[in-house]
Amino acid sequence: MGKREIAPTVLFFPNPVVLVTCQGLISKPNIITIAWAGVVNSRPPMIGIAVQPVRYSHGLIRQSGEFGVNIPNEELLAAIDDCGWISGRDED
């Protein structure tokens, strides 16, 4: 099999899906579905996430400097989908 070149892309599958909880300094709490999460370091334990700057949660995390990472199970599929499509900026 010869070398195969693939155009640059940001699509890697499967991605871990996590629910990230966050809150700004004076705002209500929010939750967002994130598919860009992973272990950054073992000691000390560190997890990295990627949140686009246009997302409501991005501003909240920048304000507080904190977020929580929650690993959902299959029973939460509907909630995972909702948190990925509905913005906390528009709905509670």
Side-chain angles (χ1 to χ4, degrees):
M1 174 181 240
K3 181 178 178 180
R4 182 175 158 201
E5 290 192 35
I6 299 173
T9 182
V10 296
L11 303 176
F12 289 103
F13 293 97
N15 290 331
V17 175
V18 296
L19 293 171
V20 172
T21 53
C22 53
Q23 183 172 354
L25 299 176
I26 57 170
S27 60
K28 63 182 179 173
N30 195 50
I31 188 166
I32 182 174
T33 301
I34 299 286
W36 293 87
V39 175
V40 176
N41 198 28
S42 298
R43 290 187 184 172
M46 297 174 74
I47 296 174
I49 61 170
V51 183
Q52 293 181 358
V54 298
R55 302 290 182 216
Y56 177 61
S57 295
H58 185 275
L60 301 180
I61 293 169
R62 287 197 48 106
Q63 283 178 18
S64 68
E66 298 179 359
F67 60 88
V69 177
N70 306 273
I71 302 170
N73 60 23
E74 288 183 34
E75 294 174 13
L76 295 174
L77 283 176
I80 294 165
D81 197 39
D82 287 346
C83 292
W85 285 101
I86 301 170
S87 173
R89 181 182 289 130
D90 304 322
E91 280 189 48
D92 191 2

